[in-house]
Amino acid sequence: SVNPDLASERQTASFSVEKLTAWLDGGAEHTRLRRAVVEVIERDPVFSRENQYFQSQNERYEVAVKKAVHLQKKMHEMGWTESGPEFKYIYRAVSGDVAFLLHRIFIRSISVLGSDKQIAKWIPLASQYQLIGSYAQTELGHGTYLQGLETTAVFDITTQEFILNTPKISAMKWWPGDMGRSATHTVVFAQLYVHGKCYGVHPFIVQIRSLQDHSLCPGIIAGDIGPKMNFEHIDNGYLMLQNVRVPRENMLNKFCEVQPDGTYVRRGSPKINYFTMTTVRISLISHEVVIPLMKACTIAIRYSAVRRQSKLKPGEQEAKILDYQTQQEKLLPQLAAAYAFRFIDDYLQELFDRGYGEIQRKNFAMLPELHALSSGFKAFVSQFGTSGVKICLQACGGHGYSLLSGLPSLYTKILASCIYEGENTILFLQTARFLIKCFMAASTGQHVPPSVTYLAAVKPKKCPAKNKLDFLRSDIYTEAYQHTAVRLISSTAAKLQDLIQSGVKKYNAWNQCTVQLVQAAKAHCHYITVKNFVETVEKLETTTGIQKIMKHLCDLFALHGIFSNTGVFLHDGYISGEQMDMVTASYLDLLAIIRKDAVPLVDAFDFTDSSLNSALGSYDGQVYQRLYEWAQKSPTNKQMSPAYEKYLKPLLHNTLSKL
Amino acid sequence: SVNPDLASERQTASFSVEKLTAWLDGGAEHTRLRRAVVEVIERDPVFSRENQYFQSQNERYEVAVKKAVHLQKKMHEMGWTESGPEFKYIYRAVSGDVAFLLHRIFIRSISVLGSDKQIAKWIPLASQYQLIGSYAQTELGHGTYLQGLETTAVFDITTQEFILNTPKISAMKWWPGDMGRSATHTVVFAQLYVHGKCYGVHPFIVQIRSLQDHSLCPGIIAGDIGPKMNFEHIDNGYLMLQNVRVPRENMLNKFCEVQPDGTYVRRGSPKINYFTMTTVRISLISHEVVIPLMKACTIAIRYSAVRRQSKLKPGEQEAKILDYQTQQEKLLPQLAAAYAFRFIDDYLQELFDRGYGEIQRKNFAMLPELHALSSGFKAFVSQFGTSGVKICLQACGGHGYSLLSGLPSLYTKILASCIYEGENTILFLQTARFLIKCFMAASTGQHVPPSVTYLAAVKPKKCPAKNKLDFLRSDIYTEAYQHTAVRLISSTAAKLQDLIQSGVKKYNAWNQCTVQLVQAAKAHCHYITVKNFVETVEKLETTTGIQKIMKHLCDLFALHGIFSNTGVFLHDGYISGEQMDMVTASYLDLLAIIRKDAVPLVDAFDFTDSSLNSALGSYDGQVYQRLYEWAQKSPTNKQMSPAYEKYLKPLLHNTLSKL
């Protein structure tokens, strides 16, 4: 039965949860399909995550492989294909808890970087799992700075082979998923040498394990890198190469090639080598950031509606913690952010689809903007989302700290998204470089990409808001964000120029501005996110209650950003201290308004209890009962610990001196 | 051999590392003693933490008990006693990785809350480990709101016993350490009923397991609460009581007592029941927050001096990441904070020692200030420290995410300190209540405790700084902190009064101000921390280089706080936008200055390699070699996973359809 404290929250929803779910899914038809996929997966006991929190790294890996293999069978059985409409729901349905994710990156990198001939050879093998692929880019000594990779691939003209080597310990490949124990093949990124000349980093397909007995191939040393904060189910691996030879055809050569005589030919932009990363960055936002943030909000908000602690009004029943302003101020901005990022994901996806189409037609003009946006938003969304999940975890107090809440694993997983596929600070700086360049171009009247045309617009000097209600006007706050983004970008550009003009070397000047450049890049992403949220709300029908509540969330997201970064807006007096008090007042008012719909707003994310896998977040709100039942299943309760006979008994029986 | 990139950092130290270490220890004599204790512990293989990152929860618990028992033997052997000078170094030497910590809280609570007779009976038993104690306060349904605890203790006048019960599932004791599997006794906090009247929460000594065979006593249901983000070595437990009877003498009765005829007698302040928590909050700051933060800084800064990534200057060798401004801006403020908190710990300890003396003399006048400061600083330091360790972890990129870096376990452990012994938001609000009360008193000329007399002082309206160097004057920035603390406290007090005067009920008005009250409490703690840092530096001899570098760190800590909270200082124009640019300039300048001494400054913390237990943080800086060697020892590399024969082989051998 549903906890009455949760049931009552659902009776007063200001909108139809089912309609909001359908809208988030892109239509009721999609909701039906998604639910059908989820049901098939969850009905199958192989995909159960029931004991996940009790398993060792070895167990988690074994289960993840089992699930990945079973998934192939299941897809075959259900008639689901990788290009079918069901496919995009599968990853969500299995909660990412499967092996072979890097196998898919292996496939994608060949599709993007390989020639038609290479695609024809490798993709069918990989798709039918006649090999298991991985993607070996990062090394012990190099992550973000790809040009510094130390693995070498020397072309041997006599045998028409590349000879791959790990010349020193820091050159060892380190971190690639699926590589520690599963993969038979991998795409190795190595410095290409032909006739003693280095041509930079290129990708090579290398077999690392026998297809017969899985033993390591000659010249290969590989294994698992050991325990991590999360991803116990993934065999992140290491790889050393000792004179490993691969045929000339194994260099992925859609965009560049070594011909039999050693001639090096380049086709298209050299930046295309990095394009796989752009695609991965955009696709990870949805699965690795937005969904975990939505789940964390669901758990923490449902729990906050059933947890009662202390009395608000003397003499009354203890209050739901969701009724405390401080709790609302922790959770509701994260809820608003989950929606904001759900929408920015659509924006990026659309931009990416357009860009990818152009690249297919060998037009690389959109690459810089795509690269800048995918970098900046990967960093912005993962940083915000990570902080959001952490807030949700801490907002659940001690019970949030128990693995059984589901929040620790969501947190340690999303935390990794700040690091992998580009460390966030480095990514912000790449966006900043693009912004500075565009700002310079815009200020001299040159054409700039659509997302940054605002840098050229003339801005008002002061925020025109006169009372707290004015700050619920989307034009008012969008302008404020735009103003601060322009100010931060232009002032940092000015500092940079001043330094250079005063004789500081360009690279030193850049380094001395990087703290401020990161701020500028964040401000840009924050602005675009707010603007996109506003535009999304404006496109909604006004007849249902959905537009109204989405407008509230949009306002909350925008005002939370101002309230949490007041200095940025106050600095040049664009917003005055008095106006900032209005922002605060409107912001705090919104919390009380959205609080009423908080549970329906997380219900609309439509996560099943199995997918949340949380003793605190289940639909029925029976949190204490579930914590108690789940704890019984812990291996720590399976038997008396040997510690008793070995240590406690002798101690208690006062034989201390004889130990 | 030491990595040359680390060795070179040590050759240019502006001060004597050994002298700084001695000063931090309180004199060279203490350093010698600490090192002697550490050496004894680390030489003993039982205390090794070598395989810690590979162990399961069950294994970790067993090892922790083994270590705790062995430690007793060791202390006996070495002639160390709980009151001896060595004792305070033991916990640091074993890195907290031992059982029976709650046993010590059990002892402390009896010492503080028990009568002389109770102390005489229980303390020797506990000290000699003829029993193992725990401290059962928190319940499934109640953490922060102690008055809401639901466990009952009914006085039975006929048998002169208390009957303890867990009337519902939410009343179950949940979280107490050492209770899940080890403890034989515990102090249970329960609502006392005499003749049907409830007298509130009181502490009772209850035996829960047999001293003979460790089986649960009649009426006791207890076990382990399962996996958590950390503390795998601790058996946090649950406890249900079903008509468990304890004699009248088992209620701790230094401050209140039930007499044989059922008369309830109170002696001293009812707040004294919470005094144990105050002592625990203060003592945890050093061990659970400052030391982990110092360790994280040591690891991240040493790693940043050997990690080279990307080129600062084209054509040169790749740069140490510590040379990037963004990396400095991540790590160096955390280093400054570690020092700041090391000093605030002294301040609190001294205050506490004075307060404890008074209480022993039955003078409770200092309790409110002690409670407010211990609450606020526990929250402020743990929140700042947790964020600091997280920054250190992320600053090490992917390798920081590996458990082998040591950073994840430091992080997940310090994170808990934001929750246990009082959830931080609740604690800040308790401090805020004290501040508002004192502000009201001070503004009507009444006497207030020393730490808040500043609330009555008249303040200048504008910061007098004229150039960036002015912001390196401690009077300038201390004044700025004081000004903002007063402003936030007074403006929130005004809002509170306005609301009440406009007819809002007092409890509602309070709730509507809590977001701002938390800000005010933080500002107060931040101010006191800066002020105390300044005073500590002023007391230092000026002859060595230590004062100079400490002054830099003090400036950095203060300016970082302004730079990270610009809005608070800009809001009323106390600091202008132009002045804020000076703050930024001075702040960024300081980074480059302190960077030169960064490695010596963490070396001075004097952690051994074993105590850091980090592949990235060792003194010799051989990070890649160590990561590789440690990974070999992972259980994931011990054998081929059964996943191969079961799942991978059939898949690769193309028997998918037959699976």
Side-chain angles (χ1 to χ4, degrees):
Chain A
S1 70
V2 175
N3 185 320
D5 280 338
L6 207 46
S8 67
E9 298 283 338
R10 290 173 176 134
Q11 279 154 12
T12 52
S14 76
F15 60 90
S16 153
V17 169
E18 187 62 24
K19 278 189 182 151
L20 178 52
T21 300
W23 178 62
L24 287 172
D25 279 325
E29 194 49 52
H30 291 96
T31 301
R32 262 193 296 279
L33 189 62
R34 178 175 56 71
R35 286 179 181 162
V37 171
V38 167
E39 207 200 322
V40 167
I41 297 288
E42 292 188 354
R43 222 172 31 207
D44 189 327
V46 171
F47 296 111
S48 164
R49 292 159 67 224
E50 195 186 327
N51 292 310
Q52 181 177 310
Y53 303 130
F54 306 130
Q55 288 166 340
S56 70
Q57 191 176 2
N58 274 334
E59 289 163 341
R60 290 290 303 281
Y61 166 71
E62 187 181 332
V63 169
V65 171
K66 178 182 183 180
K67 286 184 185 178
V69 172
H70 189 69
L71 184 59
Q72 295 309 310
K73 191 183 157 201
K74 198 87 198 175
M75 286 178 64
H76 185 73
E77 189 184 305
M78 299 299 299
W80 298 341
T81 65
E82 303 230 345
S83 54
E86 297 87 358
F87 190 69
K88 67 172 172 171
Y89 301 120
I90 294 176
Y91 187 78
R92 170 168 166 161
V94 297
S95 292
D97 201 30
V98 286
F100 305 159
L101 298 180
L102 268 286
H103 178 71
R104 298 198 54 221
I105 308 273
F106 173 85
I107 291 176
R108 195 179 323 187
S109 66
I110 294 174
S111 311
V112 173
L113 304 174
S115 65
D116 293 345
K117 202 171 149 193
Q118 289 171 324
I119 291 172
K121 173 176 177 185
W122 293 102
I123 301 298
L125 289 172
S127 301
Q128 293 156 36
Y129 285 92
Q130 292 180 275
L131 60 83
I132 296 167
S134 168
Y135 182 85
Q137 180 178 295
T138 301
E139 297 174 355
L140 254 179
H142 284 89
T144 52
Y145 185 62
L146 295 186
Q147 293 172 52
L149 292 177
E150 297 174 297
T151 303
T152 56
V154 177
F155 185 57
D156 180 350
I157 197 162
T158 59
T159 62
Q160 293 286 303
E161 290 170 320
F162 295 105
I163 311 165
L164 283 96
N165 268 294
T166 301
K168 53 204 281 208
I169 191 160
S170 58
M172 203 183 314
K173 295 293 174 187
W174 197 270
W175 278 110
D178 293 338
M179 196 176 78
R181 313 171 83 174
S182 298
T184 61
H185 290 67
T186 188
V187 172
V188 171
F189 284 79
Q191 300 285 356
L192 168 66
Y193 286 87
V194 186
H195 296 317
K197 185 180 166 190
C198 180
Y199 289 88
V201 173
H202 288 72
F204 302 85
I205 299 177
V206 180
Q207 180 171 355
I208 59 172
R209 286 187 179 89
S210 156
L211 288 168
Q212 283 314 305
D213 63 6
H214 219 59
S215 61
L216 293 171
C217 292
I220 299 289
I221 295 171
D224 185 277
I225 65 164
K228 301 143 293 186
M229 279 189 96
N230 195 315
F231 294 87
E232 297 94 342
H233 62 296
I234 300 291
D235 54 323
N236 297 91
Y238 61 80
L239 172 68
M240 264 174 130
L241 301 148
Q242 296 172 328
N243 291 315
V244 175
R245 288 174 170 266
V246 301
R248 192 178 63 88
E249 294 72 27
N250 278 26
M251 184 174 108
L252 293 176
N253 61 10
K254 181 169 190 178
F255 298 101
C256 41
E257 188 180 12
V258 176
Q259 293 180 335
D261 66 351
T263 309
Y264 179 84
V265 182
R266 183 177 286 287
R267 295 185 278 269
S269 165
K271 288 193 176 139
I272 198 65
N273 270 342
Y274 305 137
F275 188 67
T276 310
M277 287 189 298
T278 302
T279 78
V280 175
R281 273 173 204 153
I282 290 179
S283 68
L284 75 85
I285 289 177
S286 164
H287 285 302
E288 309 300 340
V289 182
V290 179
I291 289 199
L293 179 58
M294 286 174 166
K295 285 185 177 178
C297 288
T298 305
I299 295 167
I301 286 174
R302 285 181 180 164
Y303 175 67
S304 299
V306 299
R307 173 78 168 180
R308 289 179 176 272
Q309 197 78 178
S310 199
K311 298 182 181 185
L312 249 176
K313 187 174 170 181
E316 278 199 347
Q317 191 185 9
E318 289 184 57
K320 295 178 175 184
I321 58 174
L322 194 54
D323 286 325
Y324 291 99
Q325 189 188 49
T326 47
Q327 188 77 352
Q328 293 166 8
E329 209 269 324
K330 287 175 191 176
L331 298 179
L332 303 183
Q334 314 318 319
L335 176 64
Y339 278 91
F341 297 151
R342 169 68 188 73
F343 304 139
I344 205 70
D345 182 43
D346 281 349
Y347 167 88
L348 292 170
Q349 204 58 58
E350 199 193 317
L351 199 78
F352 173 78
D353 289 346
R354 248 189 304 137
Y356 190 62
E358 291 301 316
I359 286 163
Q360 297 288 66
R361 287 186 285 279
K362 296 253 156 76
N363 169 12
F364 302 105
M366 274 182 76
L367 264 182
E369 189 187 18
L370 265 184
H371 178 68
L373 280 172
S374 70
S375 302
F377 275 102
K378 182 273 188 184
F380 181 68
V381 174
S382 65
Q383 183 174 308
F384 201 121
T386 299
S387 150
V389 175
K390 178 178 177 235
I391 290 168
C392 290
L393 187 154
Q394 292 191 289
C396 295
H399 296 332
Y401 191 80
S402 162
L403 292 200
L404 307 180
S405 75
L407 291 164
S409 58
L410 287 169
Y411 178 57
T412 51
K413 197 167 183 201
I414 197 174
L415 179 65
S417 73
C418 296
I419 302 167
Y420 61 62
E421 301 302 332
E423 192 276 327
N424 280 355
T425 302
I426 308 292
L427 293 184
F428 277 130
L429 287 174
Q430 295 188 2
T431 305
R433 201 176 281 279
F434 169 80
L435 292 171
I436 294 288
K437 205 179 277 180
C438 292
F439 174 77
M440 299 299 200
S443 52
T444 57
Q446 291 171 58
H447 174 78
V448 294
S451 61
V452 287
T453 48
Y454 77 95
L455 291 174
V458 183
K459 301 300 157 334
K461 285 271 181 292
K462 301 279 172 197
C463 171
K466 298 212 162 31
N467 56 56
K468 71 174 182 177
L469 294 180
D470 281 345
F471 280 105
L472 302 178
R473 279 173 48 191
S474 53
D475 58 327
I476 296 272
Y477 57 67
T478 310
E479 273 286 333
Y481 274 94
Q482 189 186 92
H483 174 83
T484 57
V486 174
R487 183 177 65 75
L488 288 169
I489 294 162
S490 64
S491 69
T492 314
K495 176 179 172 183
L496 197 57
Q497 281 195 311
D498 285 353
L499 283 168
I500 292 167
Q501 274 165 16
S502 74
V504 179
K505 296 274 186 205
K506 212 169 167 180
Y507 57 86
N508 267 334
W510 178 262
N511 189 28
Q512 288 173 35
C513 291
T514 45
V515 166
Q516 287 149 302
L517 286 164
V518 168
Q519 289 184 328
K522 280 183 196 171
H524 169 73
C525 294
H526 214 145
Y527 162 57
I528 302 278
T529 308
V530 167
K531 185 161 161 274
N532 182 65
F533 202 152
V534 168
E535 287 166 2
T536 304
V537 171
E538 281 167 358
K539 274 182 252 162
L540 268 165
E541 287 179 64
T542 52
T543 48
T544 68
I546 291 176
Q547 204 214 27
K548 199 170 163 196
I549 187 70
M550 286 299 121
K551 171 73 168 72
H552 288 319
L553 282 175
C554 179
D555 295 347
L556 184 72
F557 179 77
L559 296 192
H560 171 258
I562 301 177
F563 178 78
S564 313
N565 301 283
T566 52
V568 178
F569 297 86
L570 290 165
H571 186 279
D572 63 347
Y574 181 82
I575 290 185
S576 69
E578 207 183 336
Q579 286 174 319
M580 196 53 83
D581 291 339
M582 300 171 194
V583 169
T584 303
S586 273
Y587 170 60
L588 296 177
D589 288 349
L590 275 170
L591 294 176
I593 293 168
I594 294 171
R595 182 259 169 270
K596 293 180 203 146
D597 279 319
V599 168
L601 281 168
V602 297
D603 283 352
F605 295 146
D606 203 27
F607 292 110
T608 60
D609 284 356
S610 318
S611 80
L612 292 172
N613 204 14
S614 165
L616 302 186
S618 293
Y619 190 84
D620 67 8
Q622 300 294 0
V623 300
Y624 300 135
Q625 187 63 37
R626 202 168 267 112
L627 269 176
Y628 181 48
E629 282 166 14
W630 288 17
Q632 308 302 307
K633 296 189 282 184
S634 168
T636 50
N637 287 320
K638 289 299 178 205
Q639 56 184 46
M640 190 174 260
S641 168
Y644 177 67
E645 283 294 331
K646 285 196 210 164
Y647 312 113
L648 293 178
K649 190 173 167 185
L651 179 72
L652 289 166
H653 291 193
N654 203 7
T655 52
L656 191 60
S657 53
K658 297 168 217 144
L659 279 181
Chain B
S1 70
V2 175
N3 186 320
D5 280 338
L6 207 45
S8 66
E9 298 283 339
R10 291 174 175 134
Q11 280 153 13
T12 53
S14 77
F15 59 90
S16 153
V17 169
E18 187 62 24
K19 278 188 183 151
L20 178 52
T21 299
W23 178 61
L24 289 172
D25 279 325
E29 194 50 51
H30 292 97
T31 302
R32 262 192 297 279
L33 189 63
R34 177 174 56 70
R35 286 181 182 159
V37 171
V38 167
E39 208 201 321
V40 167
I41 297 289
E42 293 188 354
R43 223 173 30 207
D44 188 328
V46 171
F47 295 111
S48 166
R49 292 159 67 223
E50 195 184 330
N51 292 310
Q52 179 176 311
Y53 304 130
F54 306 130
Q55 287 165 341
S56 70
Q57 192 177 359
N58 274 333
E59 289 164 339
R60 288 289 303 280
Y61 166 72
E62 187 181 331
V63 169
V65 171
K66 179 182 182 181
K67 286 183 184 178
V69 173
H70 189 68
L71 184 58
Q72 296 309 311
K73 191 183 158 203
K74 198 86 199 176
M75 286 178 64
H76 185 72
E77 190 183 305
M78 299 299 299
W80 298 341
T81 64
E82 303 231 346
S83 52
E86 297 89 357
F87 191 69
K88 66 173 174 172
Y89 301 121
I90 294 176
Y91 187 79
R92 169 167 167 162
V94 297
S95 291
D97 201 30
V98 286
F100 306 158
L101 299 181
L102 269 286
H103 177 70
R104 298 198 54 220
I105 308 271
F106 174 84
I107 291 175
R108 196 179 322 187
S109 65
I110 294 174
S111 311
V112 173
L113 304 175
S115 64
D116 292 344
K117 202 172 149 194
Q118 288 171 323
I119 291 173
K121 173 174 178 187
W122 293 101
I123 301 297
L125 288 173
S127 300
Q128 292 156 36
Y129 285 93
Q130 291 180 275
L131 60 81
I132 296 167
S134 169
Y135 181 85
Q137 179 178 296
T138 301
E139 296 174 357
L140 255 180
H142 285 90
T144 53
Y145 185 61
L146 295 187
Q147 294 171 49
L149 291 177
E150 297 174 298
T151 303
T152 57
V154 177
F155 184 57
D156 180 349
I157 197 162
T158 58
T159 62
Q160 293 286 302
E161 291 171 317
F162 296 104
I163 310 166
L164 284 97
N165 267 295
T166 302
K168 53 204 282 209
I169 190 159
S170 59
M172 203 183 316
K173 294 293 174 186
W174 197 268
W175 278 110
D178 293 337
M179 196 176 78
R181 314 171 82 175
S182 298
T184 60
H185 290 66
T186 188
V187 172
V188 171
F189 284 80
Q191 301 285 357
L192 168 67
Y193 285 87
V194 185
H195 296 318
K197 185 181 167 192
C198 181
Y199 288 87
V201 173
H202 288 73
F204 303 84
I205 299 178
V206 180
Q207 181 171 356
I208 59 172
R209 287 188 178 88
S210 155
L211 288 168
Q212 282 315 305
D213 64 6
H214 219 59
S215 61
L216 292 172
C217 292
I220 299 289
I221 296 174
D224 184 278
I225 65 163
K228 301 143 293 184
M229 279 190 96
N230 196 315
F231 295 87
E232 295 93 343
H233 61 296
I234 300 291
D235 54 323
N236 297 93
Y238 60 81
L239 171 68
M240 265 171 127
L241 301 148
Q242 295 171 330
N243 291 316
V244 174
R245 289 174 168 266
V246 301
R248 192 178 64 90
E249 294 72 27
N250 278 27
M251 185 173 108
L252 292 177
N253 60 9
K254 181 168 191 177
F255 298 102
C256 40
E257 188 181 10
V258 175
Q259 293 178 337
D261 65 350
T263 309
Y264 179 83
V265 181
R266 183 177 287 286
R267 295 184 277 270
S269 165
K271 286 191 176 143
I272 198 65
N273 270 343
Y274 306 137
F275 188 66
T276 310
M277 287 190 297
T278 302
T279 79
V280 175
R281 273 173 204 150
I282 290 179
S283 68
L284 74 84
I285 289 178
S286 163
H287 285 303
E288 309 302 338
V289 183
V290 178
I291 289 198
L293 179 59
M294 286 174 166
K295 285 185 176 177
C297 288
T298 306
I299 295 167
I301 287 175
R302 285 182 181 164
Y303 175 66
S304 298
V306 299
R307 173 79 168 181
R308 289 179 177 273
Q309 197 78 177
S310 198
K311 298 181 181 183
L312 250 176
K313 186 173 171 181
E316 276 198 348
Q317 190 185 8
E318 289 184 57
K320 295 178 175 184
I321 58 175
L322 194 55
D323 287 325
Y324 291 99
Q325 189 189 49
T326 47
Q327 189 77 354
Q328 294 167 8
E329 209 270 323
K330 287 176 191 176
L331 299 180
L332 303 183
Q334 315 318 319
L335 176 63
Y339 278 92
F341 298 152
R342 169 68 189 71
F343 304 141
I344 205 70
D345 182 43
D346 281 348
Y347 168 87
L348 292 169
Q349 204 58 57
E350 200 192 317
L351 200 76
F352 173 78
D353 289 344
R354 246 188 306 137
Y356 190 61
E358 292 300 316
I359 286 164
Q360 298 287 69
R361 287 186 285 279
K362 297 254 156 80
N363 170 13
F364 302 105
M366 275 183 77
L367 264 182
E369 188 186 20
L370 265 185
H371 178 68
L373 280 173
S374 70
S375 301
F377 275 102
K378 182 275 190 182
F380 181 69
V381 174
S382 66
Q383 182 174 308
F384 202 121
T386 299
S387 151
V389 175
K390 176 176 178 240
I391 290 168
C392 290
L393 187 154
Q394 292 192 289
C396 295
H399 296 332
Y401 191 80
S402 163
L403 292 200
L404 307 180
S405 76
L407 291 164
S409 58
L410 287 169
Y411 178 56
T412 51
K413 197 167 182 202
I414 197 173
L415 179 64
S417 73
C418 297
I419 302 168
Y420 62 61
E421 301 302 332
E423 192 275 329
N424 281 354
T425 302
I426 308 294
L427 293 184
F428 277 130
L429 288 175
Q430 295 189 3
T431 305
R433 200 175 283 278
F434 169 80
L435 292 172
I436 295 288
K437 204 179 280 180
C438 292
F439 174 77
M440 299 299 200
S443 51
T444 57
Q446 292 171 58
H447 174 77
V448 294
S451 60
V452 286
T453 47
Y454 78 95
L455 291 174
V458 183
K459 300 297 157 340
K461 285 268 178 294
K462 302 277 173 198
C463 171
K466 299 210 160 36
N467 56 56
K468 70 174 182 177
L469 294 180
D470 282 344
F471 281 105
L472 303 178
R473 279 173 46 192
S474 53
D475 58 326
I476 296 271
Y477 57 67
T478 309
E479 273 287 332
Y481 273 94
Q482 188 186 94
H483 174 84
T484 58
V486 173
R487 184 177 65 74
L488 288 168
I489 294 162
S490 63
S491 69
T492 314
K495 177 179 170 184
L496 199 57
Q497 281 196 309
D498 286 353
L499 283 168
I500 291 166
Q501 273 165 20
S502 76
V504 179
K505 297 271 186 208
K506 213 168 166 182
Y507 57 86
N508 267 335
W510 179 262
N511 190 27
Q512 287 174 37
C513 291
T514 45
V515 166
Q516 286 149 302
L517 286 164
V518 168
Q519 289 183 329
K522 281 184 197 172
H524 169 72
C525 294
H526 214 144
Y527 162 58
I528 302 279
T529 308
V530 167
K531 185 161 160 275
N532 181 66
F533 203 151
V534 168
E535 287 166 1
T536 304
V537 171
E538 281 167 359
K539 273 182 255 165
L540 268 165
E541 289 178 61
T542 53
T543 47
T544 68
I546 291 177
Q547 204 212 29
K548 198 170 167 195
I549 188 70
M550 285 300 120
K551 171 71 167 73
H552 287 320
L553 282 175
C554 180
D555 295 347
L556 185 73
F557 179 76
L559 297 191
H560 171 259
I562 302 177
F563 178 79
S564 313
N565 301 285
T566 52
V568 177
F569 297 86
L570 289 166
H571 186 278
D572 63 347
Y574 182 82
I575 290 185
S576 69
E578 206 183 336
Q579 286 174 318
M580 197 54 83
D581 291 338
M582 299 170 194
V583 169
T584 304
S586 273
Y587 171 60
L588 296 177
D589 288 349
L590 276 170
L591 295 176
I593 293 168
I594 294 171
R595 182 258 169 270
K596 292 180 203 147
D597 279 317
V599 168
L601 281 167
V602 296
D603 282 353
F605 295 146
D606 203 28
F607 292 110
T608 60
D609 284 358
S610 317
S611 79
L612 293 171
N613 205 12
S614 164
L616 302 186
S618 292
Y619 189 84
D620 69 6
Q622 300 294 359
V623 299
Y624 300 135
Q625 187 63 37
R626 200 167 269 112
L627 270 175
Y628 181 49
E629 282 167 13
W630 289 16
Q632 308 302 306
K633 296 189 280 183
S634 168
T636 50
N637 286 320
K638 290 299 178 206
Q639 57 186 46
M640 190 174 261
S641 169
Y644 177 66
E645 284 294 332
K646 285 196 208 163
Y647 313 112
L648 293 177
K649 190 173 167 184
L651 178 73
L652 289 165
H653 292 191
N654 203 7
T655 52
L656 191 60
S657 53
K658 297 167 218 147
L659 279 182

